[in-house]
Amino acid sequence: MEQLPTSPGERPEETDPSRGPAYTASAVVDEEGVVTEWSEGAARLLGYAPDEVVGRSAGHLLSAPAGDAERYLPPEQDRWSGTLALRHRDGRRLERGVLAHRRTSTDGRTRWSLVSAVAGGPGSGRPAAVQEWFVQSPCFLAVFDVDLRLLSANTGMERTLSFTEAEMRGLRLPEIAPDPVSEETERRMRRVLESGEPQRVEAFAPTTGASAEHGWATSLSPLRDADGRVCAVVVAAHDRTGVEVQKQQMIVPEAAHSRIGTTEDSTRTAQELADVVVPQLADFAVVDLLEPVPHGGRPPEGGAREPVTVRRTAIRSLAEAGAPARVAVGGTAVYPALSPPVRCLAEGRGAVYGTADPAVARWVAEDPGAAWVGEDGAHSVMVVPMRADGVTLGVAVFSRRLRREPFQPEDLSLAEELASRAAASIHSAHRSAREHTSTMTLQRSLLPQKLPDHAALETASRYLPAGTEAGVGGDWFDVIPLSGARVALVVGDVVGHGIRASATMGRLRTAVRTLADVDLPPDELLTHLDDLIIHLSTDEGGQSGDAEAAGGIGTTCLFVVYDPVTRRCTLARAGHPPPAVVSPEGSVYLLDVPAGPPLGLGGLPFETAEADLPEGSVLVLYTDGLLQPHERDVDEALDSMFAALARPAASLDAVCDRVLTALLTHPPDDDVALLVARTRALHADKVVVWDLAADPSVVGQARRQTTEQLTSWGLEDAAFVTELLVSELVTNAIRYGRPPIQLRLIHEKDTLICEVSDASSTAPHMRRARTFDEGGRGLLLVAQLAQRWGTRHGAVGKTIWAEQSLVEL
């Protein structure tokens, strides 16, 4: 048989427990008689350390035979008190008064909790002021010392708890009656000791031998000695069980409200409602939401005469409240026509029924899912609608079995109040979800559905919406083809979140495309965009206090133009992070671009920067959400991004995924837009340039050179149209422009581009010539022959360009 160790040499307070302050020795023994918990007080009382006792038989702690443990802790009782002969670690025999509470956990295992109060040294007894104070009273009266240990208990307390004063003396209230109410009462007692002010506790708690809970009105008062110091707490409790007390005391509205609607999860809110109602108001609760959730405010079609399908969202039952509902949480239930829940949904008001009521009996007979009403032994049923803002969301059904009192009108009023709060939270969550979906749909429709296949760049992108309650933001990106085989890359971040930010993003993206189409330089484009945002915020200033966010003030933007002929990148930014570049050799760096102010501030200039990029360079544009992940500063985020970019990747999609994986270990707090582009180049064999004299005779020469070049490219089919375009554009430059004049042909994949440049800044205008006019038809002819045409201005002069599609030839 296993023996516990003994050893001499304990400290005086260990061998003589009466020396030192009072304390409680406690232990937990499982149904097999094995010690599972051992307190510091128990170690102090008997001398055994926890590792010497836990996991071993409790019988070896007794001086009596080990088999007597079963006599001391009979399995058919929940509570026991008496004197145990205990064996100290040094072999001494100690007789101690012990209280034992039997508890069954949720896993079905039974455990005994044993406590024993150990009195302290001299002066730890009852204060003198207490000696003559206590008198017999039918009320529950007790006095606790400054350590909140029982000094005196009257016959009312003894009768209520079925313990004698001697058995309880020296123990704390939660040790005498383990219950949340006891713990709350002790917290209030501690406040009385600290503040000297009385406290009051209103709560329901079980009473020994009773089949239902009783409501207690408890007063806690300080007891002072002759010097005015608080030396004890007097507890006086009055049993106030009754219907009106139940309605007022069983649920404190403020506490219940703080527990319902803590998140925007409708399932959790429904469960919170059930958890508040059980066990304070009912023994069983079911919360069902209409499926699908209605968007309007109309009750179920057909009124009370049609079955209603619901989704079982929450169930709560007392551990011994009988049979569970047949339909599990997450399943679908169908309430039959004219049943109490359907009437509740149709009429929009709650009702109380006895289980013998014909409506309930018919419901149970017709609905197998309602069998719990009969099997549970319920005697009272209450149905309450879940309504908010005129919208019917579902129904809650409550029942009582353990409580003998049926539901009363006061209970129905309280239940409707709690259900309304839960419904308001669920309705708000549904509305937020719909708004989020609408915002996502709008934003997705405004972002590029497919990036264009362009000869100048190979591109890939990613967009991740924010994973927080703030909602979707206004981040966007775009790839815009420009004249002369060039392409523009743009990334922006609109301030704010939600549908207004997405709408503002749509406006700005449209404006950027429009401004880019007229070939404005990056700095001028941002200046025009800055003016637009100022006008937007001014227009909305009288409509909302949030005009700045609505108008987009504070928006950032990066605009990049890449020319595959010169391999030059021209860019400007407005408060946006600069782009990263990965060279063909694998080095990673940030382009040095003047920051510029965010858009919408006005009056501040934007600067353009230029950089030559070798063919095969990778440009990385992003919004700041990428560099603001959890628990990481910007420098660390940049280092992680650089490390991800420096590693070789098979494709640009792989580059995007690698960057996001390296930087986003959690759902992002802000939207993330990522645009990656690899540069291509148009080599000399695809571009030809001729300098032309300002003489009409060179027009014929330009046509011949064009035909010869098209023949060398194998584009003879395009020669006729191209000769006409060259003839008209060169003639216009000689007549209306200024030298020097230059003709450039670009063969870009499936497109042939013809450009004529001159030193004049005057833009041509297309007009409709009259019948007998000798001129005025040149640009009209160009517009008819070309797929696209236009004018772009440079630092000196202008360029008129025309594009032809080679696919149709």
Side-chain angles (χ1 to χ4, degrees):
M1 181 178 293
E2 185 180 21
Q3 298 293 328
L4 294 172
T6 61
S7 65
E10 288 86 354
R11 295 188 302 272
E13 61 269 22
E14 294 175 333
T15 57
D16 184 2
S18 66
R19 302 176 66 174
Y23 61 91
T24 297
S26 64
V28 176
V29 179
D30 67 13
E31 56 190 348
E32 304 296 332
V34 175
V35 178
T36 60
E37 295 182 26
W38 189 252
S39 73
E40 181 181 350
R44 180 178 173 186
L45 176 65
L46 296 183
Y48 298 107
D51 58 357
E52 296 175 317
V53 178
V54 174
R56 304 185 182 186
S57 172
H60 299 291
L61 298 172
L62 301 175
S63 289
D68 287 354
E70 295 182 358
R71 176 175 63 81
Y72 289 127
L73 302 176
E76 69 276 4
Q77 297 182 12
D78 288 336
R79 291 154 38 109
W80 177 88
S81 65
T83 302
L84 290 181
L86 305 174
R87 184 161 62 89
H88 194 273
R89 191 172 186 273
D90 61 7
R92 289 183 293 110
R93 174 189 174 96
L94 295 176
E95 292 190 357
R96 307 301 308 173
V98 175
L99 288 185
H101 304 277
R102 183 173 179 266
R103 293 287 181 265
T104 301
S105 61
T106 55
D107 59 6
R109 298 182 61 85
T110 299
R111 296 174 176 84
W112 284 91
S113 176
L114 297 87
V115 293
S116 177
V118 182
S124 62
R126 301 181 183 182
V130 179
Q131 301 298 325
E132 302 300 327
W133 178 86
F134 224 69
V135 294
Q136 294 293 327
S137 171
C139 298
F140 179 122
L141 295 175
V143 179
F144 291 82
D145 65 14
V146 292
D147 294 323
L148 299 180
R149 297 182 178 277
L150 182 71
L151 292 175
S152 299
N154 74 336
T155 55
M157 182 176 181
E158 292 178 326
R159 182 174 59 254
T160 300
L161 299 180
S162 300
F163 288 132
T164 65
E165 181 191 62
E167 293 171 326
M168 297 183 288
R169 186 180 301 122
L171 294 175
R172 297 168 40 241
L173 183 58
E175 297 168 343
I176 300 170
D179 185 87
V181 174
S182 297
E183 296 175 358
E184 174 62 22
T185 302
E186 186 179 65
R187 284 194 291 269
R188 299 290 184 91
M189 292 163 63
R190 188 170 289 108
R191 292 184 192 175
V192 173
L193 290 173
E194 295 171 351
S195 67
E197 299 294 330
Q199 294 278 323
R200 185 175 179 84
V201 180
E202 302 282 358
F204 273 71
T207 300
T208 303
S211 61
E213 292 181 338
H214 281 226
W216 295 95
T218 305
S219 297
L220 310 175
S221 304
L223 185 62
R224 304 179 186 274
D225 59 15
D227 297 327
R229 294 189 297 262
V230 177
C231 60
V233 179
V234 179
V235 179
H238 304 272
D239 187 358
R240 295 182 56 191
T241 304
V243 173
E244 181 62 22
V245 176
Q246 288 180 341
K247 196 274 291 187
Q248 296 179 353
Q249 309 293 339
M250 292 178 74
I251 298 179
V252 179
E254 291 79 6
H257 288 178
S258 67
R259 293 172 53 190
I260 296 176
T262 59
T263 69
E264 289 194 352
D265 185 336
S266 58
T267 299
R268 181 168 178 177
T269 299
Q271 189 63 55
E272 289 170 345
L273 171 62
D275 292 343
V276 166
V277 170
V278 177
Q280 289 88 344
L281 182 62
D283 301 327
F284 187 82
V286 170
V287 181
D288 294 325
L289 298 181
L290 292 175
E291 184 72 21
V293 176
H295 287 232
R298 292 179 294 180
E301 296 181 4
R305 299 188 176 277
E306 295 291 337
V308 175
T309 300
V310 295
R311 174 171 53 89
R312 185 127 301 163
T313 310
I315 298 176
R316 177 67 189 274
S317 174
L318 290 180
E320 300 177 355
R326 294 287 181 88
V327 180
V329 171
T332 299
V334 179
Y335 284 126
L338 300 177
S339 62
V342 174
R343 287 186 178 275
C344 174
L345 287 168
E347 297 172 1
R349 62 173 181 269
V352 173
Y353 300 87
T355 52
D357 190 291
V360 176
R362 183 171 58 250
W363 171 32
V364 174
E366 296 177 354
D367 183 6
W372 61 268
V373 176
E375 296 173 3
D376 192 45
H379 60 80
S380 185
V381 176
M382 178 166 56
V383 291
V384 178
M386 303 282 290
R387 287 178 58 83
D389 293 338
V391 178
T392 301
L393 301 174
V395 62
V397 182
F398 309 129
S399 71
R400 278 184 179 175
R401 169 182 176 264
L402 300 180
R403 288 179 176 82
R404 291 169 294 183
E405 302 83 3
F407 289 117
Q408 299 295 323
E410 293 83 0
D411 300 314
L412 178 61
S413 176
L414 182 57
E416 288 178 334
E417 177 187 352
L418 297 176
S420 294
R421 177 171 181 81
S425 178
I426 293 172
H427 184 54
S428 175
H430 292 162
R431 184 169 55 244
S432 297
R434 290 194 296 271
E435 290 177 355
H436 184 269
T437 301
S438 299
T439 303
M440 284 291 296
T441 302
L442 173 62
Q443 188 171 51
R444 292 291 187 187
S445 68
L446 295 174
L447 291 173
Q449 304 303 305
K450 181 181 179 182
L451 296 179
D453 184 14
H454 202 281
L457 293 172
E458 175 193 358
T459 57
S461 65
R462 294 291 186 272
Y463 174 79
L464 277 70
T468 64
E469 296 181 0
V472 178
D475 291 19
W476 95 94
F477 61 89
D478 209 347
V479 179
I480 308 170
L482 301 177
S483 65
R486 298 169 306 139
V487 64
L489 304 174
V490 59
V491 173
D493 185 357
V494 174
V495 68
H497 294 82
I499 197 166
R500 298 183 74 183
S502 294
T504 301
M505 177 268 281
R507 288 174 166 180
L508 298 182
R509 179 170 178 260
T510 301
V512 169
R513 277 191 161 265
T514 302
L515 295 171
D517 195 50
V518 297
D519 275 313
L520 289 178
D523 56 340
E524 292 186 26
L525 183 143
L526 292 181
T527 300
H528 283 283
L529 207 59
D530 186 51
D531 293 338
L532 172 64
I533 289 180
I534 293 174
H535 290 314
L536 288 177
S537 60
T538 301
D539 292 342
E540 299 186 14
Q543 302 176 16
S544 169
D546 194 23
E548 289 189 0
I553 291 180
T555 294
T556 65
C557 184
L558 170 65
F559 190 81
V560 180
V561 175
Y562 174 69
D563 188 339
V565 176
T566 63
R567 301 168 201 173
R568 177 162 295 178
C569 183
T570 307
L571 62 165
R573 62 187 180 114
H576 201 86
V581 175
V582 184
S583 71
E585 296 79 23
S587 61
V588 185
Y589 58 95
L590 293 177
L591 283 180
D592 184 14
V593 186
L599 299 174
L601 301 184
L604 299 174
F606 300 97
E607 298 182 49
T608 295
E610 293 186 348
D612 293 329
L613 299 180
E615 183 179 8
S617 299
V618 176
L619 267 170
V620 183
L621 288 71
Y622 50 89
T623 54
D624 59 4
L626 183 67
L627 301 181
Q628 297 176 351
H630 294 268
E631 301 176 356
R632 184 183 297 180
D633 60 29
V634 173
D635 290 336
E636 291 178 351
L638 281 173
D639 290 341
S640 297
M641 183 176 71
F642 280 20
L645 292 173
R647 295 164 52 195
S651 66
L652 292 185
D653 284 318
V655 172
C656 292
D657 294 337
R658 182 177 296 165
V659 169
L660 295 180
T661 300
L663 293 176
L664 302 179
T665 57
H666 299 78
D669 294 331
D670 195 3
D671 288 13
V672 174
L674 176 64
L675 179 60
V676 179
R678 180 178 284 117
T679 63
R680 296 167 175 161
L682 290 176
H683 298 284
D685 60 338
K686 297 296 183 180
V687 181
V688 61
V689 179
W690 295 291
D691 293 322
L692 304 177
D695 186 338
S697 63
V698 304
V699 176
Q701 177 187 347
R703 286 199 301 266
R704 287 192 299 272
Q705 291 172 323
T706 298
T707 301
E708 292 172 358
Q709 184 61 51
L710 294 183
T711 300
S712 68
W713 283 341
L715 302 178
E716 294 86 350
D717 293 341
F720 177 73
V721 173
T722 307
E723 283 187 19
L724 292 177
L725 292 175
V726 168
S727 179
E728 293 298 332
L729 295 180
V730 171
T731 298
N732 275 346
I734 293 173
R735 281 186 182 177
Y736 306 111
R738 293 204 305 263
I741 299 173
Q742 191 177 74
L743 169 63
R744 184 169 74 161
L745 297 180
I746 302 174
H747 180 198
E748 178 202 19
K749 199 175 180 180
D750 298 327
T751 303
L752 179 62
I753 303 170
C754 175
E755 297 183 342
V756 176
S757 304
D758 70 84
S760 172
S761 298
T762 303
H765 295 281
M766 185 171 60
R767 62 185 179 86
R768 185 177 297 278
R770 290 172 294 184
T771 304
F772 299 104
D773 287 349
E774 295 183 1
R777 298 178 179 84
L779 291 181
L780 181 61
L781 181 62
V782 170
Q784 296 297 316
L785 296 176
Q787 185 181 24
R788 293 197 313 152
W789 78 281
T791 303
R792 68 173 181 269
H793 291 269
V796 177
K798 66 179 181 298
T799 299
I800 304 176
W801 54 269
E803 292 183 5
Q804 300 176 68
S805 174
L806 301 177
V807 177
E808 300 174 356
L809 298 178

